[in-house]
Structures are given as C-alpha cells and as structure tokens.
Amino acid sequence: MLEIACFEITSAETALRSVADRIEFCAEQQLGGITPNIDEFRYLKSVYRKPIYVMIRPKGGDFYYSDLEFEVMKKDLLQFKKSGADGFVFGILNSGNTIDIYRNKVLVDLAGDIPCTFHRAFDRTPDLDAAIKHLIDIGFKAVLTSGGKSSAMEGKENLSNLIEKYGSQIEILVGGGVRSGNISELKNFTKGTHFHSSAIPSYEVFASDEEIKKLKKSI
C-alpha cells in the first residue's frame, strides 16, 4: 500500500491521477503539515475516487494543544467527516511526549467508523513499545513512523521490530524520507507492506507522477 503525502492541491491531483493507493491531504509543508482547506478537499472528493485521508492539526511545531486548539481539532474533524473524508491523520502528546490518551480517544470516537492514523508525533515518544500499545487500545488503525529516528532509513531496525511485534494489530506506515531509491531496501529489511512518501524529487516542490510509479513498482 502506497500513501502519498500532499501538501497542496497540485500534488494531490497528481497523486490521485497516478497509481497511489491513497493520499494524505494537508497544507504547509514547511510546518510539517497542518489541516488543509476544506473547499480544496471538497473539490478533490468531487472529482476523484481514491481515498483521501485528512490531517487534523491546527498548528505546526510541537504536538501539545491548548483547550481552544483542541476544540478547533474536534470541529475540523467533524466538518471533514461530513464532507466525506476517508480517513484522518492526527496525534496529540502530553508535555513529556507521551500519548495523550484521553484527547486522542475523543477524536477517534468522533471519527466513528472512519479510520484514524497517528502521525509522526509517535516518533517523539520516549518508549515506542508503550506508545504503540496505547494507540492500539485507543483504536487507531495505523501509525506513521520512521522508527523513532529522523528518517526511515535511520530507524529501519526499530521499524522492523515494531512490524514484527505489532504489525498484525495496527497498520505500520513506514515514512520519513521514503523515496524510490531506498524503498526496496526498507521493504526487504523491515518486512513492511505499507509505505508513505511525498514523492517529491530533489530540488522540486511538487509530487512527481514518475516517482510515484517507481515507488509503487518497488512494493
């Protein structure tokens, strides 16, 4: 399974027309992705059939949110749910970078039958095993991770361990610098089956159809 992270509508349309299995739609790449424009999302849903997962994140930076920001997250999730989101991507941490069980559970419950992915806030947690167990208990269907490191290649040993221990309980989405040049090595080493990439070639700003096809062919 190949998911393409799309930070604007041009890349989203490229990925939805290409061979990607689904996209993660968000905004502001320089902030690491935040909640996208709902009108752009509605347009994409009106034109394309492939699943579109929506990031719910009101700001860049850390993954701690004020009460007001949390209310915004709930409101945004419900608006995108009403507009046909196929999945949600979010993650809330406590001040010690542990999983905020209560707030994440509130959002998962609001999503209902729509699957939720915990994003790479997971990689900031001090104990990956403890964190992933919490995510499974909360009801997340997937976790996007580079194995607690800055890239999937650096974290491939941790990714392999996570997939071996928890891959039957939660979809482990390998991400973080995944490109056509390293995806085969990551697949063979980690035994992963789910991969996440922006598919943006070096020195470019938009997802590449050619890169998406190379990624897909390698898995």
Side-chain angles (χ1 to χ4, degrees), residues 9 11 14 41 69 71 109 116 120 139 156 166 171 179 210 219:
I9 199 161
S11 292
T14 296
F41 168 77
E69 288 165 341
E71 290 302 314
D109 288 347
C116 296
R120 284 187 64 199
K156 63 183 182 180
Y166 307 106
E171 176 186 305
R179 295 293 185 273
E210 181 181 0
I219 58 174

Side-chain angles (χ1 to χ4, degrees), residues 113-173:
D113 294 333
I114 300 173
C116 296
T117 299
F118 194 93
H119 57 43
R120 284 187 64 199
F122 174 79
D123 292 320
R124 298 196 182 189
T125 61
D127 185 333
L128 299 182
D129 286 273
I132 202 167
K133 288 174 183 176
H134 285 314
L135 301 185
I136 292 166
D137 289 341
I138 290 167
F140 281 95
K141 299 301 182 186
V143 55
L144 172 61
T145 175
S146 56
K149 304 295 184 180
S150 60
S151 72
M153 286 296 290
E154 291 177 61
K156 63 183 182 180
E157 290 187 7
N158 288 338
L159 287 166
S160 178
N161 291 332
L162 289 170
I163 289 166
E164 182 180 2
K165 288 192 280 188
Y166 307 106
S168 64
Q169 302 172 70
I170 189 170
E171 176 186 305
I172 296 175
L173 192 54

Side-chain angles (χ1 to χ4, degrees), residues 44-62:
L44 293 173
K45 285 298 296 181
S46 73
V47 176
Y48 301 97
R49 296 290 185 89
K50 286 185 179 178
I52 302 175
Y53 281 33
V54 177
M55 181 172 284
I56 303 295
R57 188 181 179 207
K59 64 172 185 177
D62 61 40

Side-chain angles (χ1 to χ4, degrees), residues 99-111:
I99 304 295
D100 186 327
I101 295 172
Y102 171 74
R103 282 180 162 184
N104 285 296
K105 185 72 165 64
V106 168
L107 293 182
V108 168
D109 288 347
L110 284 177

Side-chain angles (χ1 to χ4, degrees), residues 8-218:
E8 33 61 41
I9 199 161
T10 300
S11 292
E13 292 204 84
T14 296
L16 290 166
R17 286 193 300 262
S18 190
V19 295
D21 295 293
R22 71 180 186 223
I23 72 166
E24 174 200 83
F25 189 46
C26 51
E28 303 295 343
Q29 184 179 12
Q30 69 273 20
L31 299 178
I34 61 172
T35 307
N37 180 284
I38 194 163
D39 291 326
E40 291 183 349
F41 168 77
R42 287 171 176 155
Y43 161 74
L44 293 173
K45 285 298 296 181
S46 73
V47 176
Y48 301 97
R49 296 290 185 89
K50 286 185 179 178
I52 302 175
Y53 281 33
V54 177
M55 181 172 284
I56 303 295
R57 188 181 179 207
K59 64 172 185 177
D62 61 40
F63 301 99
Y64 321 131
Y65 301 104
S66 67
D67 290 343
L68 179 59
E69 288 165 341
F70 183 53
E71 290 302 314
V72 170
M73 293 177 81
K74 290 192 287 185
K75 179 182 176 183
D76 286 344
L77 187 148
L78 290 173
Q79 284 187 324
F80 279 99
K81 180 180 180 180
K82 185 177 180 180
S83 297
D86 298 288
F88 294 109
V89 183
F90 56 84
I92 304 175
L93 300 178
N94 294 311
S95 57
N97 282 340
T98 56
I99 304 295
D100 186 327
I101 295 172
Y102 171 74
R103 282 180 162 184
N104 285 296
K105 185 72 165 64
V106 168
L107 293 182
V108 168
D109 288 347
L110 284 177
D113 294 333
I114 300 173
C116 296
T117 299
F118 194 93
H119 57 43
R120 284 187 64 199
F122 174 79
D123 292 320
R124 298 196 182 189
T125 61
D127 185 333
L128 299 182
D129 286 273
I132 202 167
K133 288 174 183 176
H134 285 314
L135 301 185
I136 292 166
D137 289 341
I138 290 167
F140 281 95
K141 299 301 182 186
V143 55
L144 172 61
T145 175
S146 56
K149 304 295 184 180
S150 60
S151 72
M153 286 296 290
E154 291 177 61
K156 63 183 182 180
E157 290 187 7
N158 288 338
L159 287 166
S160 178
N161 291 332
L162 289 170
I163 289 166
E164 182 180 2
K165 288 192 280 188
Y166 307 106
S168 64
Q169 302 172 70
I170 189 170
E171 176 186 305
I172 296 175
L173 192 54
V174 176
V178 174
R179 295 293 185 273
S180 59
N182 60 27
I183 193 169
S184 292
E185 180 179 348
L186 285 168
K187 178 188 176 185
N188 293 333
F189 189 93
T190 67
K191 302 299 186 288
T193 57
H194 298 77
F195 294 88
H196 169 102
S197 175
S198 66
I200 301 174
S202 299
Y203 311 111
E204 296 188 26
V205 295
F206 299 121
S208 159
D209 176 61
E210 181 181 0
E211 174 69 1
I212 294 170
K213 288 175 179 174
K214 287 180 179 179
L215 286 161
K216 182 68 173 176
K217 185 178 180 179
S218 297

